[in-house]
Amino acid sequence: MKVAVVGSGGREHAIIKKIKENPEVEIIYALPGNGGIAADAKCVDVGAKDIEGIVKFSKENEIDYVVVAPDDPLVMGAVDALEAAGIPSFGPRANAAIVEGSKVFSKNLMKKYNIPTAAYETFDDTDKALEYVETCPIPTVVKADGLALGKGVIIAMTRDEAKEAVRSIMLDKQFGASGNQIVIEEFMEGPEITVLSFTDGKVVKPMVSSMDHKRAHDNDEGLNTGGMGTIAPNPYYTKEVADTCMEKIFLPTINALNAEGRTFKGCLYFGLMLTKDGPKVVEYNSRFGDPETQVVLPLLKSDLLTIMQATTNGTLAETEVEFMDGYAACVIMASDGYPENYEKGYEISIPEEVSNMVFVAGAKIADGKLLTNGGRVLGCSGIGKSLEEAIENAYKVVDQVHFDNQYYRHDIGQRALKAIR
Ligand code: AMP
Ligand code: GLY
């Protein structure tokens, strides 16, 4: 089989390494991939948002299955375009990827189908939004409607901050057209849990739960980032919470999308908060999380490609989705200065013995050398029988990987360990 994976991050590297385990796979192309992914796949110079280019490449190279990993191409209709060309692919069509593409859409969907989430109002008029924040409960959360590289959420601790957030999103267009509409919602408190789930639109099979670490620095200080590390499973996700989520959130979401004529196939990402009133949805994403994937897939026992194909074919009910009993941790090694300004171009060394647990995100090859080329450079994962062991193993990999100007958090998993103890 010939497989193509669209995207260029650590998540895509983890997906590619897992797909490689299937003996029927002859070749994997990465569109466009990166310098580190090049060790495991053939990188092709087709951008992840170049839908026409993706279809053209897949047709010309007789690709049997395409995995569309990032949000942008999914929201832009990559799966629809591939389907029209007769090429099976992993991911939702555009009309279902809208659960991530529009927060106004997803909030309205949850309200209509009684899926627990923060109370909210939506606005397309700046004056009305400003008037609303004069009297709404504080803190409050202001969100741009559309995709904003995970940055379109502002938690306002004061009324002035809320007004400032409304102005910067709606008037200054800090996130471009994504801010034409906004959601202003209730501030929730509690531990956060990510659950990635496979679905074919009929059944939903959750993967092992995980916990992200979004802030740049130790002790959850510093700016929000795309994610500085993850652990799995998440200790807050007990059997009881899982059962509640299945009954009140996962199945109702799949059913709601079906009822709206927007059947979701692929990986549906549930961003959850365990509030004192039970689990509530913070956000949906229409794809695998990054860096959640780097801890979830190393624990997957079943064959990833077979499961992905089952979501496309509608045969997920009879397909095995099994995880190991252990734990996993992933530590992101970034360029110092990320998520603001940082330097690039430093040589990276990844010893062969640990390369299987290193997922490269921001790197390029120049003159035969692997060089840093992004904010989040790579993720180092470890697995173990206990969470302590998994964390220790992830940091052992970190110790063996080198590049100058590196920065990483030293406390990945500590929050979860506290919850267990
Ligand atoms: P989102 O992009 O919607 O996941 O939001 C990014 C992050 O902002 C989440 O992971 C939460 O940590 C935080 N957040 C979003 N919505 C809320 C909320 N209603 N209350 C508290 N924190 C929130
Ligand atoms: N790690 C958060 C996300 O993938 O959206």
Side-chain angles (χ1 to χ4, degrees), residues 11 212 214 226-227 269 283 285 287-292 376:
R11 163 184 60 201
D212 199 355
K214 287 194 182 194
Y269 171 127
E283 64 165 343
N285 289 326
R287 50 167 176 86
F288 281 93
D290 190 341
E292 288 89 342
R376 289 194 292 176

Side-chain angles (χ1 to χ4, degrees), residues 205-264:
K205 294 201 173 177
M207 297 176 228
V208 65
S209 61
S210 55
M211 181 190 280
D212 199 355
H213 296 68
K214 287 194 182 194
R215 300 296 199 100
H217 303 301
D218 286 4
N219 303 317
D220 296 316
E221 286 168 8
L223 292 171
N224 254 323
T225 70
M228 292 300 291
T230 38
I231 60 98
N234 186 319
Y236 290 102
Y237 195 66
T238 59
K239 169 87 172 63
E240 193 193 345
V241 173
D243 290 345
T244 308
C245 288
M246 182 55 86
E247 186 198 338
K248 303 256 195 260
I249 296 175
F250 303 163
L251 288 173
T253 300
I254 300 302
N255 293 339
L257 285 164
N258 281 333
E260 296 291 315
R262 296 172 182 273
T263 295
F264 192 106

Side-chain angles (χ1 to χ4, degrees), residues 133 136-144 150-166 168-169 174-175 183-190 192 214-215 224 273 282:
V133 297
C136 76
I138 294 291
T140 189
V141 184
V142 183
K143 299 185 172 185
K151 293 177 190 148
V153 173
I154 299 172
I155 299 183
M157 301 309 291
T158 65
R159 223 168 274 295
D160 281 345
E161 276 175 33
K163 283 187 219 161
E164 183 52 38
V166 168
S168 77
I169 296 177
Q174 195 188 344
F175 307 110
V183 171
I184 302 183
E185 70 177 29
E186 173 201 358
F187 175 75
M188 299 188 288
E189 283 178 283
E192 286 188 61
K214 287 194 182 194
R215 300 296 199 100
N224 254 323
M273 197 174 279
V282 178

